[in-house]
Amino acid sequence: MPQPRNLFTNGFKVELPEAIDVIVREFPNPSEVKAERERLDGFWFIHWVGGKLYHLRLRSGGPNVDGEVKPLRVRSHPWLLRARIDDVIGDAVSQYTPIRVRPFTFLAQKAELIAPAAQSAKILHPLLSGFKVTPRFVLNAKVYEPNDGVAGLGVFVNVGMHYDIDVPLSDLHAANIDLAGMYVVRRNPEKGQRRLAGRIGRLAGTQVHLSEATDTDVVPVDSIKLEGSRENVARCLTGLLGAGRYKALVNALDDEQTAYRLGPDFDGVVGKMGAHLAKTPLPIAQGVEAKITDRIVFKNDDTTRSVYVTPPVDYVFDRTGAKSAAYAWPGLSQFGPYDRATFTNKSPRLLVVFPASTQGKVEALLRAFRDGLGASYRGFPKGFRDLFGLVQVDFVMCPVAVSIADKATAEATYRQAIEARLSSGEEVQGSIIVLFDEHAHLKGLQNPYIRTKALLLTLGIPTQEVRMWTVGQPPGQLQYTLQNFSVSVYAKLNGTPWTVNQDKAISDELVVGMGFAELSGSRFEDRQRFVGITTVFSGDGTYLLGNVSKECNYAGYPDMVRESMLGILKELKARNNWRPGDTVRVIFHAHRPLKRVDVAKIVFACTREIGAEQDIQMAFVTVSHDHPFFIIDRGEKGEPIKRDSDIMKGMFAPVRGTIARIGRSTRLLAANSGKLIKRQNSPLPAPLLISLHEDSTFKDVDYLAEQVLKFTSLSWRSTLPAGTPVTIFYSERIAELLGRLKDVPNFSTTALSVKLKWSRWFL
């Protein structure tokens, strides 16, 4: 196991006084803080926490404040000065105009990237100069605590990309760009007015009619512009340049962005920004200043351990754990699937829906899938049947009389063919849908995959999509595609390809993934509709069940969570036969609970209610990509992009399984590095931020961080680990599919929690 090296971060220490005088007074109502802040503005800094208002005097004069004068040790109360640093960090970069104040966010002044990318790709268009991609810098003040009792304050530097579209809507409309449904923003919003104006319905001369609006639904065309999102840029430039030239521009833009995002380059940009920040003292209070100093580095010494590397995850292929391997595919090839002895459907029948004109190519793919490619192709030599210990695999062929040109009628033709084929009473346990590439990208209800998926899911039949580009792959590429394809199909048939090693010290351990989907697809809150998504695993990674709740609005979300969680826990208690006195550990994973809804408290109450007779250990863990922290291993030289190449990928990315302590209840986990990084231009991967809720009764954060790593290895969508634990990854996949299926006539989420409760239909 590799020994951890020192990890540099993207943060810099803030040098603060040992103590500072504050005035503290009781202030029970947080809704009154805004008015008090306005009353004291310019003379006092105020910060509310725990029913008390803390005051720092900024300068003499102004209103007086009554309260208790207290000297506060800064090390014991870093949160107070963190809020103050957020207020004043802009003083250190005063030459930049912020586009956001908290956290302080600004754009590079001289570096715009589309122009040099277009020049490199030799692409010209009269409207291209109105599209901008500019490096965006974000400065976050955060408390960190790499060792107990050693809390500090840091400023963390992040670099992203800011997209802007300044082309007049009338010019885009004249260039035949379909603007319907795209979000627009006001060019010059008034004070207190939302910048978001709404979504375009249609253009009519000098007016724009909005299908959704923050206030008025008809606005002058020259008062708004397209929101500068990556999606809007892609849609416009694809229309203006054509798919081929747009792809060339994107590749050139990717090259330009590497100067800010690759490991060594990002490290250098962060270092330059830190040196610039260090030049300017930051005013904290009257006569008190802070100073940005050295880079924050996590390292071990004789008494403390801030960084360690976990043992590699073992993939397990039998219930005893004796059959295990370091990698998924070699283990599966050697031992077969985890549930080989208990998998009941040994002769599955798969419906295969395909364009009739492609039958020869599709039959060749099916033979390769079922029987393998032979010993010459070590990636997939023996096929789905023998690999998973099946008796036979039957294909129920369903040709569809459809051509590439039939874009408007393709989905209806697919559905009619499926209904005709199944009307005779054919029993099938799964389906494979083959699509022309041109049909796979059709929007909304025109997309045959979305329509056929909705139809088949309603009938309780999981589906797997295949595009003709995949069907036509040469065997050298196809062997690796078939690895992932076969694993997904087996999992959709309710199989368990592999699990991971588990702590057996307790009676039962459950890991519950929680997420939600916004079914309306709207950013206008009164129209938002939600469903809760839950996936449940045993501690060794065995998938137990999935659940999609009833639809609800925001206000009803807490009640929906409670009802859904009580039902799931009751079912698991009965299924796992919890007995009085058993020790049961229930760990909840969430990505981003809804704002103002404390989901943790709801699920803890449900767990206590269901497990009143058991010794319940509970932990609520947030696993987030949305944080400002990076960890950098300057000793990591990366991996060659291909055999015998001198070009490296993944430089400075810490080895997978590296864990850094950033707080008492928080860890940073490197889940993506080395061979998992796909491209030479892939940016330095951000770690996962693991945060443990304060009300948890099971508090071993390191165990929980290691468990998160194990669950990244449990994705049966691929033989490679996912970037997120499957508890959350699966919830996100379900949310994505529900968002696409929501508009299909007669589709209901009820089927997913009844007929397909035990299937990984969403892979």
Side-chain angles (χ1 to χ4, degrees), residues 255-331:
D255 290 338
E256 295 294 330
Q257 292 177 358
T258 59
Y260 298 88
R261 304 177 69 180
L262 293 186
D265 298 277
F266 175 72
D267 187 33
V269 170
V270 167
K272 290 179 182 177
M273 181 58 67
H276 183 78
L277 296 174
K279 296 176 181 177
T280 306
L282 302 175
I284 298 299
Q286 189 173 28
V288 181
E289 290 182 335
K291 185 173 176 56
I292 308 294
T293 61
D294 301 329
R295 184 80 75 100
I296 297 169
V297 182
F298 295 145
K299 53 188 174 183
N300 299 332
D301 56 32
D302 294 337
T303 58
T304 59
R305 187 178 74 155
S306 299
V307 182
Y308 72 100
V309 180
T310 68
V313 175
D314 286 331
Y315 293 82
V316 176
F317 298 91
D318 74 329
R319 296 188 183 278
T320 68
K323 296 178 180 179
S324 64
Y327 298 97
W329 186 255

Side-chain angles (χ1 to χ4, degrees), residues 108 154 258 408 457 591 597 687 727:
T258 59
L457 286 178
H591 180 209
V597 177
T727 43

Side-chain angles (χ1 to χ4, degrees), residues 175-237:
N176 296 318
I177 301 300
D178 179 12
L179 301 173
M182 299 174 82
Y183 286 101
V184 287
V185 295
R186 294 180 175 87
R187 289 182 176 274
N188 299 296
E190 297 177 3
K191 186 175 182 180
Q193 190 177 38
R194 286 186 67 179
R195 187 166 180 266
L196 178 67
R199 297 178 82 173
I200 295 176
R202 61 187 177 87
L203 268 67
T206 60
Q207 302 291 316
V208 178
H209 295 256
L210 302 176
S211 59
E212 295 180 88
T214 52
D215 44 48
T216 180
D217 58 4
V218 180
V219 294
V221 69
D222 57 358
S223 70
I224 58 176
K225 66 178 185 177
L226 287 180
E227 182 180 54
S229 67
R230 182 179 298 182
E231 294 76 16
N232 282 354
V233 169
R235 185 166 158 182
C236 290
L237 289 182

Side-chain angles (χ1 to χ4, degrees), residues 88-159:
V88 299
I89 189 62
D91 290 7
V93 284
S94 57
Q95 69 272 41
Y96 294 95
T97 301
I99 59 172
R100 185 179 177 187
V101 176
R102 276 181 173 246
F104 194 88
T105 306
F106 60 94
L107 303 181
Q109 292 177 334
K110 299 179 182 178
E112 193 286 313
L113 304 184
I114 278 194
Q119 184 177 6
S120 174
K122 297 180 172 57
I123 291 175
L124 297 173
H125 192 283
L127 298 182
L128 193 56
S129 61
F131 294 83
K132 308 286 185 185
V133 175
T134 309
R136 179 187 67 239
F137 293 86
V138 184
L139 306 178
N140 280 276
K142 293 291 181 183
V143 176
Y144 67 100
E145 188 178 0
N147 302 307
D148 282 341
V150 188
L153 187 59
V155 171
F156 292 83
V157 179
N158 279 272
V159 186

Side-chain angles (χ1 to χ4, degrees), residues 566-750:
L566 281 172
I568 288 167
L569 291 173
K570 284 178 182 176
E571 185 170 347
L572 291 168
K573 180 177 182 177
R575 175 175 172 169
N576 291 16
N577 192 28
W578 293 357
R579 294 170 297 183
D582 278 354
T583 299
V584 178
R585 184 180 300 150
V586 187
I587 297 166
F588 300 93
H589 287 175
H591 180 209
R592 50 181 185 100
L594 286 177
K595 292 179 180 178
R596 301 186 298 278
V597 177
D598 194 338
V599 174
K601 292 186 183 298
I602 297 171
V603 298
F604 283 162
C606 293
T607 308
R608 291 189 184 97
E609 181 177 331
I610 299 300
E613 300 175 321
Q614 286 74 39
D615 177 14
I616 298 287
Q617 300 175 357
M618 296 176 292
F620 194 94
V621 181
T622 303
V623 184
S624 179
H625 291 275
D626 186 17
H627 61 82
F629 307 113
F630 278 83
I631 46 179
I632 299 165
D633 182 353
R634 291 177 176 172
E636 179 55 58
K637 303 306 180 186
E639 295 273 342
I641 58 169
K642 58 184 178 180
R643 187 178 298 175
D644 299 326
S645 174
D646 294 330
I647 302 173
M648 311 300 283
K649 60 180 182 177
M651 292 177 65
F652 285 21
V655 66
R656 175 173 161 83
T658 299
I659 294 176
R661 169 182 166 141
I662 198 165
R664 295 192 182 195
S665 301
T666 52
R667 301 291 185 270
L668 296 174
L669 168 65
N672 185 18
S673 59
K675 291 182 171 61
L676 299 181
I677 295 175
K678 301 286 195 302
R679 304 181 303 117
Q680 172 190 349
N681 282 1
S682 292
L684 179 73
L688 296 173
L689 176 63
I690 316 296
S691 303
L692 179 64
H693 194 280
E694 60 184 0
D695 291 344
S696 300
T697 58
F698 181 73
K699 295 184 178 294
D700 189 339
V701 190
D702 291 318
Y703 173 90
L704 294 169
E706 290 187 31
Q707 185 178 64
V708 166
L709 181 72
K710 290 179 181 180
F711 272 69
T712 64
S713 295
L714 280 166
S715 170
W716 298 324
R717 199 169 182 228
S718 168
T719 60
L720 296 175
T724 305
V726 291
T727 43
I728 293 169
F729 178 56
Y730 285 1
S731 293
E732 290 175 343
R733 282 288 301 156
I734 294 170
E736 177 191 338
L737 286 168
L738 289 179
R740 298 180 69 188
L741 293 167
K742 66 181 178 355
D743 295 326
V744 176
N746 302 318
F747 176 74
S748 170
T749 59
T750 303

